[in-house]
Amino acid sequence: MKARSASVQTPIVQRWDAGTQRRSLLLATAGTTLLGGFGVQPSRAQPGPVAQRIGYLTAGGATTNPTGLQAFREGLRERGHVVGRDVVLDVRFAEGRAQDLPRLAAEISALKPAVIVAPGNLATNAALAATAVLDTPVVSLGDLVASGHAAQLGRPGGRVTGISFLPFPLNAKRLELLALTLPRGSAVLNLAELQALPEAMRLVKDAGHALGLVTHAAYARTVDEIDTAFATARRLRVAGVNVLNSPFLYNLRAHIFQLAASAKLPAIYQWPDAAREGGLMAFGPSLEAMNRQLAGYASRILAGAKAADLPIEQPTRFELVINLKAARALGLTISRTLLLRADEVIQ
């Protein structure tokens, strides 16, 4: 920006006599009357529409999971909402620290949004607690019925609606895919974030038994605990690692890639992008596509729909992505049968 000149401009002074003022007043009055005769009113500033606020709360990180928020913004734009024009988007990333979610949810609640989008069970719990008085609707992503956030898929009945992608059964399905790279009877470590997942662990344990695998469980909520889990994997001489559904573990996937590579352990991950970024295998729905769907829910709530009346949707497409670069680094040969099942193979 150019600096303003320090010199003082001499103002232009116009002299008005009484006759000039009288003629100007008559002309102005005549002009207004003429415009009114043609049905034209003098211009008046009209207040623009008030922008509606949307909160977006995630346990992920701004740099480790930017595609989710970007897809959500694109989903809003596809439905006619422009962030900064008719919608204000208040975003909070917990950067993998679940303990920060209640504080971040309270910050969003103080801004009184019309709706909060909170992908993941922990983010949803924090959003519900922070907006209990305001009764703010929440759009979520997870197993919404099993978590107790919704009564049923067709009619949620409460403040929460969104997308249910059945993460617990998918954890077992990923174990089945990982088993196709391992000898029968191998030991596998199931890496989870919280110990309060008995249903998830029961499903993967049952799946492992049916596949002839020996399953072990490890829990981690910090980087050090992830390191300890891989040290346990080496001690137990497991042949592979199944990384269970978790925003925290997904946020630290690059670190897990390195640990798995150092230990020469094949591992499978929850979102397809993980294999595209360096992991060996990943299976699940598209995180980008689901965030676009979440934008649709937010749009309908802004238009006056009630969360209790919006049916919960489920993804219809699941992707298996295999990274052969990672396989070669592990000295692992992926069978042709498994490669033919893949939706994408990275050479």
Side-chain angles (χ1 to χ4, degrees), residues 68-145:
L69 178 60
Q70 180 182 342
F72 180 76
R73 285 174 173 268
E74 291 171 356
L76 288 176
R77 188 166 56 249
E78 290 165 2
R79 292 161 177 84
H81 301 287
V82 178
V83 176
R85 185 191 69 186
D86 60 317
V87 166
V88 176
L89 189 57
D90 300 307
V91 181
R92 297 293 186 277
F93 290 95
E95 302 292 344
R97 296 184 295 271
Q99 65 272 21
D100 289 346
L101 285 169
R103 173 180 59 81
L104 298 174
E107 290 179 7
I108 292 177
S109 177
L111 299 172
K112 294 182 171 56
V115 59
I116 296 179
V117 177
N121 190 48
L122 295 177
T124 298
N125 287 340
L128 287 172
T131 59
V133 174
L134 298 174
D135 211 30
T136 307
V138 176
V139 176
S140 183
L141 176 63
D143 194 338
L144 305 189
V145 176

Side-chain angles (χ1 to χ4, degrees), residues 67-68 71-72 74 273 285-293:
T67 55
F72 180 76
E74 291 171 356
D273 283 346
S286 167
L287 194 56
E288 182 178 342
M290 289 194 295
N291 269 277
R292 278 198 170 90
Q293 285 178 271

Side-chain angles (χ1 to χ4, degrees), residues 20-281:
T20 302
Q21 293 180 30
R22 187 166 52 253
R23 285 192 296 274
S24 298
L25 179 61
L26 289 172
L27 285 171
T29 304
T32 303
T33 303
L34 183 61
L35 289 171
F38 283 100
V40 180
Q41 298 298 323
S43 174
R44 293 181 181 177
Q46 297 295 325
V50 177
Q52 294 176 287
R53 303 193 86 96
I54 299 175
Y56 188 95
L57 176 67
T58 173
T63 57
T64 56
N65 189 22
T67 55
L69 178 60
Q70 180 182 342
F72 180 76
R73 285 174 173 268
E74 291 171 356
L76 288 176
R77 188 166 56 249
E78 290 165 2
R79 292 161 177 84
H81 301 287
V82 178
V83 176
R85 185 191 69 186
D86 60 317
V87 166
V88 176
L89 189 57
D90 300 307
V91 181
R92 297 293 186 277
F93 290 95
E95 302 292 344
R97 296 184 295 271
Q99 65 272 21
D100 289 346
L101 285 169
R103 173 180 59 81
L104 298 174
E107 290 179 7
I108 292 177
S109 177
L111 299 172
K112 294 182 171 56
V115 59
I116 296 179
V117 177
N121 190 48
L122 295 177
T124 298
N125 287 340
L128 287 172
T131 59
V133 174
L134 298 174
D135 211 30
T136 307
V138 176
V139 176
S140 183
L141 176 63
D143 194 338
L144 305 189
V145 176
S147 65
H149 291 138
Q152 55 185 333
L153 296 179
R155 193 175 179 83
R159 283 203 285 144
V160 179
T161 188
I163 302 168
S164 188
F165 66 97
L166 303 177
F168 292 176
L170 282 176
N171 288 328
K173 180 64 177 178
R174 281 189 285 270
L175 182 61
E176 176 189 322
L177 292 168
L178 179 64
L180 295 176
T181 69
L182 307 175
R184 186 172 178 83
S186 297
V188 174
L189 184 75
N190 293 291
L191 178 61
E193 176 183 352
L194 298 172
Q195 293 194 33
L197 293 175
E199 178 66 13
M201 282 302 180
R202 183 186 65 77
L203 286 174
V204 294
K205 184 177 180 180
D206 290 348
H209 179 74
L211 294 165
L213 299 173
V214 177
T215 57
H216 300 281
Y219 303 93
R221 295 194 67 177
T222 66
V223 174
D224 288 344
E225 288 174 350
I226 293 174
D227 294 343
T228 299
F230 272 86
T232 300
R234 287 192 293 271
R235 179 174 56 80
L236 295 173
R237 297 183 179 180
V238 304
V241 177
N242 180 22
V243 182
L244 272 59
N245 180 74
S246 159
F248 167 71
L249 295 176
Y250 183 67
N251 197 53
L252 290 172
R253 61 193 178 279
H255 183 64
I256 297 175
F257 296 163
Q258 294 175 353
L259 291 173
S262 297
K264 295 292 183 181
L265 285 173
I268 190 165
Y269 304 88
Q270 65 189 48
W271 303 117
D273 283 346
R276 298 183 182 111
E277 296 172 7
L280 173 66
M281 289 194 303

